[in-house]
Amino acid sequence: SNVAALLDICRQASIPIYHTVTQIRSDGSDRMPHWKMANHWACVEGTSGVLPPAEIAALPEEAIFSQPFFNAFDNPKLSAALAVNDIDTLIVAGIYTHACVRATALDAYRRGHEVWIAADAVASADPTHARLTLEYLEGRAARCFSTTEIATRLAEHAACSTENSTQRTWSHHNPANWDEVLTEVPLGQPRDLAAALHKVHGTQKACGQTGIAIRIE
């Protein structure tokens, strides 16, 4: 999925990752009012309803923040973690574009963060509402980019910040005469890695949908 691709890109770039999840108590006492009215039960602690798909699960070193409502910032520990790591730009991806993504993006904007929404790495049970949400947020509280565009922007930022300190080539010296350089090999840059990762994910999905006869050819 694009969420998994985005996670890989951020991990390779050593960008801090924060996972958030809506989670309610087992007795349902902290359910949202409209859930109580509809007798709706979801995201109950200790059940599979709070577990993400394996491909986007948090790594042991990645923080997970839970809250009973839509907004990830309802858990004050998230804001504290962002402050400790001096995070100024927040990349938002996940499900429930029309609720969780919108509430989190708006609150992040209110708190002074620049917000990027991975428009092809969000989902919703209400596609029309989700589309309208992204259209509203774009240019107001957030910028909407594709996963590929985000990867490119991250790579460009990394390249600019390391331009003067990163070695761009590897020199192969003559072992008998170290002063003689036999060849120089270009070193991959962060943008190359990000682009390659995204391409691999896209190719892997297409390959899985291709019949064995075609793949053999």
Side-chain angles (χ1 to χ4, degrees):
S1 71
N2 284 333
V3 175
L6 186 60
L7 279 173
D8 279 347
I9 290 165
C10 291
R11 285 166 179 159
Q12 292 293 333
S14 298
I15 293 174
I17 296 171
Y18 308 93
H19 300 259
T20 67
V21 59
T22 298
Q23 178 174 277
I24 65 171
R25 301 189 189 103
S26 57
D27 62 5
S29 59
D30 57 347
R31 283 182 298 168
M32 290 178 274
H34 68 288
W35 281 16
K36 291 181 179 179
M37 291 176 60
N39 194 28
H40 179 69
W41 289 79
C43 308
V44 180
E45 61 180 351
T47 71
S48 59
V50 296
L51 299 177
E55 64 177 346
I56 60 172
L59 298 182
E61 66 272 18
E62 294 169 356
I64 302 175
F65 301 95
S66 62
Q67 72 288 328
F69 281 62
F70 299 121
N71 191 349
F73 286 96
D74 284 343
N75 186 330
K77 292 182 180 179
L78 174 60
S79 241
L82 295 177
V84 166
N85 288 289
D86 196 26
I87 303 297
D88 55 4
T89 300
L90 208 61
I91 302 172
V92 180
I95 60 173
Y96 302 121
T97 316
H98 60 287
C100 299
V101 170
R102 178 180 62 194
T104 300
L106 287 172
D107 210 356
Y109 172 69
R110 182 177 67 84
R111 293 165 186 263
H113 296 287
E114 181 177 349
V115 182
W116 296 358
I117 297 177
D120 58 354
V122 293
S124 177
D126 188 340
T128 299
H129 196 170
R131 176 179 55 79
L132 293 174
T133 293
L134 292 180
E135 289 178 359
Y136 172 78
L137 291 173
E138 171 65 42
R140 291 184 173 90
R143 297 292 309 279
C144 297
F145 300 109
S146 69
T147 302
T148 300
E149 289 172 329
I150 289 176
T152 300
R153 285 173 171 268
L154 292 177
E156 288 174 349
H157 174 74
C160 287
S161 62
T162 60
E163 184 175 359
N164 296 325
S165 59
T166 301
Q167 183 181 5
R168 296 303 182 91
T169 60
W170 175 77
S171 300
H172 181 199
H173 295 264
N174 183 346
N177 179 11
W178 197 253
D179 291 332
E180 180 185 358
V181 177
L182 299 178
T183 186
E184 290 190 342
V185 180
L187 296 178
Q189 297 300 307
R191 61 178 176 272
D192 304 321
L193 178 60
L197 280 170
H198 188 69
K199 183 176 181 180
V200 166
H201 275 281
T203 303
Q204 185 179 39
K205 181 178 180 181
C207 184
Q209 297 172 346
T210 302
I212 186 66
I214 296 178
R215 278 189 272 172
I216 290 175
E217 294 177 1

